[in-house]
Amino acid sequence: MILRKRIEIEGVVQGVGFRPFVYNMAEHWGVSGFVLNDSRGVVVEVEGQLEGLAGFLFAIRSNTPPLASISRFDISDLLPTGTTGFEIRQSDVSVAAVAQVAPDSYVCDDCLAELFNPEDRRYGYPFINCTNCGPRYSIITGIPYDRPKTTMQDFVMCPTCQAEYDDPTTRRFHAQPNACPECGPQLTLSDAAGQPVAADDPVAAAIDLLRRGKILAIKGLGGYHLAVDAENEEAVLELRRRKQRDEKPFALMSYSAEQVVEYARTEAEELPLLTAPERPIVLLAKKDDSSIAPSVAPRNRLYGVMLPGTPLHYLLLKDSFRALVMTSGNVSDEPIAFEDNEATERLETIADYFLTHNRRIHMRIDDSIARFMTGKSVMLRRSRGYVPRAIFLQEQLPVVLATGAELKSTVCLTQGDRAFFSQHIGDLKNADVFDSFKLTIAHLQEVLELTPEIVAHDMHPDFYSTRYAEQLNGIEKVAVQHHHAHLASCLAENGYDGEAIGIIFDGLGYGNDGRIWGGEFLVGDFAGFKRYGHLCNIPMPGGDAAVKEPLRMALSYLVRTYGDDLPQLPLLDRIAPNDLVLYRQMIAKDINSPMTSSCGRLFDGVAALIGLRDTVSYEGQAAMELEQIADTDEEGCYPFNLWRDDDGFNLGYPALITAIVDDLLAGEPASIISARFHNTMVEVVLSATRLIWSYTGLTTVALSGGVFQNRILTEATVYLLESDGFTVLTHSRVPPNDGGLALGQAVIAATQVAKKRGE
Ligand code: ZN
Ligand code: ZN
Ligand code: FE
């Protein structure tokens, strides 16, 4: 009996080789019909004998191409029409751009096999790709996604490549970046002055230079990396010196997971994250006796490790290095270099040589960073490999542009049930980064064909992202409180649209009262929030200076706890006598010392108090080191104060600081004190949550804010809250830090505008 079925498929199914795959399966199972892209995904109509149909349906449901993932798969019955043959139909003109633009991706297994097959015509060719893999977002200049709207328009396909491109049975059918050594991009090696270095094989020459300890700027998918041999301590130190980067860990890249386990411990669940097509940098525990140079990640128990994301990286690493340092090609706070002339200019003082190529990068995009905790992967920086893939929501939203925060800037566009985050942009205080911010918004709006009707921004009046939003014309503007946005971001990511308790442990954010918040116990939903309590306020002597110098925070806690009668701690000797007098006055009399309830500052202060770090060279450094030294076998806990005032309950430090000082004076090691401090913060969360439950009866708790990048704190908090009967929502696809803030802003703004218009 002949049957006909219609199959509607949603998910990541466009630009990932899905239609050729369906075509091949139809040929294989001898069924007729067609496949096409529509605005939601892929539609297939198929006709044939029951047996063939069953085989076909099973195959397309379960054997999907590597980059595809299916979120909806619906089958319905149709009357047979007697068709013969199977065709890939032209897409509907109405195809929404949102479904078309795919993220940049890795090298698929088939391409990898060809890359290292001496018989293949693309043997050793660093730009091999197919419909299942290769560059996408970074080379797209506009839509529709077609070769002329990518930077591959610079190259005309040779007849062989063109034949592959036109043939639906090949892996390169409509692979827009298709290329080969005859017709595609080429590598060049040049010295720091930009003079070409004569080499038959630029890859072999580059490997040789790296072996000799040279620093190479290497053009990747979304920008330049600076690379050195990770086992060469001298080279790594030299890179640090030239990059003006004292301590921030460098990312590593190895050929395969087998190489990674030689220097890093990988838990079973971390491997799929490491080998994922998105190729994020994954934070992994160091092995003690590895051959990796100590300066790769000084004072750190973790490495950031990624596997190769491009054919060029595979060629460089194959049998050559256990690992290469692959750090962003920039000087400290500048954005990553991605244009060739700009890269040579900005990196000439750092790199000895440039390994570059003539395929232009249209959009700069940094590496993504992920960490495994509470049984799932958590994005810490969602960028290359993920952007601009949609995050699916439970709600239906209008087109909202959310401009994010300032330090780890990302922006977000929403439409319907989808949220599209931009790549990581960086610290907007840097003028080049702010330019990149504006460029990214324009590009995202263009390739997604979205024109926002609402713009959501942070309440902070001085953020560049706020000022940008305010100067837009003809668009509804909504200012969103920072920690409310964190809460909403976590709720939206988890598809939860009710009221929940929000525990927001963060760096700094502008509060409703004009003060700096950051240790917040909230109750809220998308429509609004109420602040039930907070960590008690503490002066930050010198404002921003206290962020860079945790030592000042430590002193602030001491002065506020002990008054004039400070305990004799080594800390006091590390401050110049004049400064000590000055800071004490500032703290005692609230001079140039804004008050903050920030949890990040508490972690900083404790880190300095126990002698871990007096100053930081990047945000979150002291808190991260505090986490890393904690002895996780220690179960002790400190007392803390709880009192009420006008704005709810305060969770206070005098008892906590006194107990830490007593431990310090008693000679307890920092690892024990750190563990007890972590345990205390978990108890703080538990007490606050129970208290709010007693007022509200709410049993769902959302954890958000940058401090929840801390694995020890997050895992213990989730465990205790769940043991207590609470349902705990945490981040996974959206970063808990300010990189995930824009989603919350968008959802809140959409809800508030809808409410206003409805009234
Ligand atoms: Zn491929
Ligand atoms: Zn070719
Ligand atoms: Fe924040």
Side-chain angles (χ1 to χ4, degrees):
M1 190 174 68
I2 303 282
L3 297 171
R4 187 176 181 91
K5 303 273 181 191
R6 180 182 168 91
I7 307 123
E8 291 175 7
I9 305 167
E10 283 179 29
V12 183
V13 287
Q14 297 186 354
V16 292
F18 205 84
R19 287 176 304 160
F21 156 73
V22 170
Y23 178 93
N24 287 324
M25 288 301 119
E27 296 276 287
H28 179 83
W29 289 99
V31 292
S32 65
F34 66 84
V35 54
L36 60 79
N37 283 345
D38 80 348
S39 62
R40 311 262 335 158
V42 166
V43 174
V44 185
E45 283 192 20
V46 66
E47 185 167 327
Q49 297 285 352
L50 180 62
E51 199 179 59
L53 273 183
F56 171 80
L57 289 174
F58 182 77
I60 64 167
R61 180 72 186 91
S62 48
N63 270 334
T64 49
L67 296 184
S69 73
I70 293 177
S71 59
R72 188 174 79 91
F73 191 92
D74 276 354
I75 305 178
S76 52
D77 292 313
L78 297 173
L79 287 175
T81 60
T83 49
T84 53
F86 196 90
E87 58 171 346
I88 297 180
R89 284 209 184 148
Q90 271 313 315
S91 300
D92 274 358
V93 274
S94 64
V95 168
V98 292
Q100 286 190 25
V101 183
D104 299 293
S105 107
Y106 73 153
V107 188
C108 75
D109 288 347
D110 291 330
C111 284
L112 198 57
E114 289 170 357
L115 182 66
F116 290 114
N117 174 8
E119 307 296 307
D120 194 274
R121 72 189 191 93
R122 291 188 180 85
Y123 175 61
Y125 182 57
F127 305 95
I128 188 170
N129 67 81
C130 72
T131 49
N132 296 330
C133 73
R136 298 286 187 276
Y137 182 67
S138 62
I139 61 164
I140 290 172
T141 56
I143 50 136
Y145 174 54
D146 227 337
R147 188 152 170 135
K149 290 288 179 67
T150 71
T151 60
M152 284 302 289
Q153 65 158 336
D154 304 353
F155 305 92
V156 179
M157 274 185 274
C158 68
T160 320
C161 285
Q162 185 70 48
E164 294 168 330
Y165 182 90
D166 292 332
D167 178 356
T169 64
T170 74
R171 232 169 65 238
R172 297 193 166 91
F173 175 64
H174 285 192
Q176 306 304 346
N178 188 27
C180 79
E182 298 306 313
C183 64
Q186 301 293 335
L187 284 179
T188 38
L189 183 66
S190 54
D191 64 17
Q195 291 305 309
V197 175
D200 291 341
D201 180 353
V203 172
I207 291 172
D208 185 53
L209 290 167
L210 286 163
R211 282 213 173 106
R212 284 160 40 203
K214 301 295 182 197
I215 299 172
L216 265 70
I218 299 174
K219 189 172 175 182
L221 265 178
Y224 279 75
H225 284 113
L226 289 160
V228 291
D229 178 356
E231 294 184 308
N232 184 333
E233 171 71 5
E234 237 171 84
V236 177
L237 271 177
E238 183 60 21
L239 174 58
R240 280 206 180 279
R241 198 183 59 75
R242 292 193 203 168
K243 210 183 169 208
Q244 299 165 31
R245 182 147 136 173
D246 294 340
E247 282 164 319
K248 196 169 185 175
F250 285 143
L252 297 172
M253 184 186 279
S254 287
Y255 185 81
S256 65
E258 286 74 40
Q259 304 241 293
V260 173
V261 296
E262 288 175 20
Y263 58 84
R265 278 182 282 141
T266 51
E267 294 172 31
E269 306 100 319
E270 287 168 339
L271 276 174
L273 188 56
L274 188 66
T275 57
E278 292 87 358
R279 292 290 196 261
I281 295 171
V282 183
L283 302 190
L284 299 172
K286 276 181 181 178
K287 276 187 176 166
D288 288 337
D289 48 357
S290 89
S291 57
I292 300 296
S295 297
V296 166
R299 300 166 61 115
N300 211 303
R301 274 199 216 172
L302 304 174
Y303 285 130
V305 185
M306 62 184 144
L307 295 184
T310 71
L312 176 58
H313 296 147
Y314 275 108
L315 292 170
L316 287 168
L317 280 155
K318 172 104 172 152
D319 305 324
S320 305
F321 304 95
R322 176 158 296 164
L324 286 174
V325 163
M326 278 286 191
T327 185
S328 312
N330 58 4
V331 184
S332 43
D333 290 334
E334 288 180 2
I336 183 171
F338 75 110
E339 285 167 323
D340 300 326
N341 45 9
E342 162 214 51
T344 6
E345 208 170 279
R346 280 166 48 190
L347 302 179
E348 66 184 354
T349 54
I350 306 178
D352 296 311
Y353 293 91
F354 287 80
L355 183 59
T356 178
H357 58 74
N358 54 349
R359 187 179 72 201
R360 288 177 291 126
I361 297 171
H362 185 68
M363 260 335 253
R364 147 199 293 139
I365 183 158
D366 288 82
D367 296 322
S368 295
I369 307 175
R371 181 176 202 181
F372 196 84
M373 52 181 168
T374 63
K376 58 187 182 185
S377 60
V378 178
M379 297 308 307
L380 303 183
R381 182 203 278 170
R382 188 177 181 276
S383 212
R384 177 186 49 73
Y386 298 89
V387 171
R389 191 186 299 155
I391 290 172
F392 286 84
L393 308 171
Q394 293 296 318
E395 5 318 295
Q396 290 290 330
L397 300 181
V399 182
V400 184
L401 168 67
T403 61
E406 177 150 280
L407 199 56
K408 290 184 176 174
S409 167
T410 64
V411 301
C412 176
L413 274 170
T414 59
Q415 183 201 39
D417 60 354
R418 297 160 196 223
F420 303 93
F421 268 98
S422 74
Q423 67 271 37
H424 165 82
I425 301 169
D427 183 352
L428 300 183
K429 287 191 285 296
N430 178 299
D432 289 337
V433 175
F434 187 55
D435 285 343
S436 180
F437 167 86
K438 289 181 276 191
L439 206 67
T440 301
I441 292 175
H443 185 67
L444 206 58
Q445 286 182 190
E446 191 194 335
V447 297
L448 300 173
E449 280 192 306
L450 295 175
T451 309
E453 51 183 282
I454 301 169
V455 61
H457 61 84
D458 198 274
M459 263 176 48
H460 200 304
D462 297 331
F463 276 180
Y464 282 89
S465 54
T466 303
R467 291 188 200 158
Y468 171 86
E470 279 172 346
Q471 52 78 39
L472 295 175
N473 291 321
I475 180 168
E476 186 110 23
K477 292 158 197 164
V478 182
V480 180
Q481 199 280 320
H482 190 93
H483 305 97
H484 183 206
H486 272 302
L487 167 61
S489 172
C490 188
L491 298 181
E493 165 170 13
N494 286 283
Y496 186 89
D497 65 356
E499 256 197 340
I501 300 171
I503 311 291
I504 317 299
F505 281 179
D506 204 23
L508 305 171
Y510 195 82
N512 284 351
D513 55 3
R515 280 185 168 168
I516 304 167
W517 294 7
E520 307 306 309
F521 305 101
L522 312 177
V523 167
D525 55 18
F526 300 143
F529 78 102
K530 182 170 184 254
R531 191 190 198 200
Y532 273 74
H534 57 89
L535 297 183
C536 81
N537 288 307
I538 181 91
M540 297 199 299
D544 278 347
V547 179
K548 297 193 179 80
E549 296 173 34
L551 184 69
R552 296 186 187 216
M553 289 312 303
L555 186 67
S556 193
Y557 287 109
L558 287 177
V559 171
R560 287 285 164 141
T561 303
Y562 292 94
D564 286 341
D565 202 10
L566 295 188
Q568 279 311 304
L569 292 172
L571 172 90
L572 301 177
D573 303 330
R574 300 201 299 271
I575 307 175
N578 288 344
D579 285 346
L580 187 58
V581 174
L582 179 69
Y583 297 163
R584 288 181 69 162
Q585 276 178 355
M586 286 164 78
I587 296 162
K589 296 178 183 162
D590 287 340
I591 305 163
N592 187 22
S593 299
M595 298 295 275
T596 185
S597 55
S598 165
C599 187
R601 296 295 80 77
L602 178 58
F603 272 78
D604 278 1
V606 171
L609 196 57
I610 66 179
L612 207 54
R613 172 164 291 286
D614 293 342
T615 62
V616 292
S617 57
Y618 60 94
E619 198 246 358
Q621 185 181 17
M624 205 165 90
E625 291 182 3
L626 191 63
E627 174 193 355
Q628 303 220 1
I629 61 152
D631 179 344
T632 45
D633 291 333
E634 168 62 31
E635 289 176 351
C637 186
Y638 298 123
F640 53 89
N641 312 79
L642 173 70
W643 71 89
R644 324 193 107 270
D645 66 10
D646 296 345
D647 32 84
F649 59 83
N650 276 249
L651 282 156
Y653 46 76
L656 169 66
I657 298 298
T658 312
I660 291 176
V661 168
D662 288 348
D663 265 358
L664 274 172
L665 294 172
E668 287 286 356
S671 58
I672 297 293
I673 299 178
S674 169
R676 290 178 182 167
F677 171 67
H678 276 85
N679 297 340
T680 311
M681 293 313 291
V682 177
E683 288 295 330
V684 163
V685 174
L686 193 64
S687 303
T689 307
R690 285 174 175 164
L691 200 57
I692 296 177
W693 168 80
S694 73
Y695 300 141
T696 62
L698 291 169
T699 56
T700 301
V701 188
L703 307 181
S704 190
V707 176
F708 284 110
Q709 297 175 96
N710 181 316
R711 182 172 176 168
I712 296 178
L713 177 76
T714 306
E715 291 190 336
T717 303
V718 170
Y719 177 78
L720 275 194
L721 287 174
E722 286 181 347
S723 310
D724 222 33
F726 290 101
T727 303
V728 187
L729 308 177
T730 57
H731 285 282
S732 172
R733 293 168 298 158
V734 176
N737 57 48
D738 284 1
L741 198 75
L743 175 60
Q745 293 175 337
V747 181
I748 291 168
T751 309
Q752 291 183 352
V753 169
K755 212 171 146 190
K756 197 170 89 185
R757 286 177 185 168
E759 279 164 12

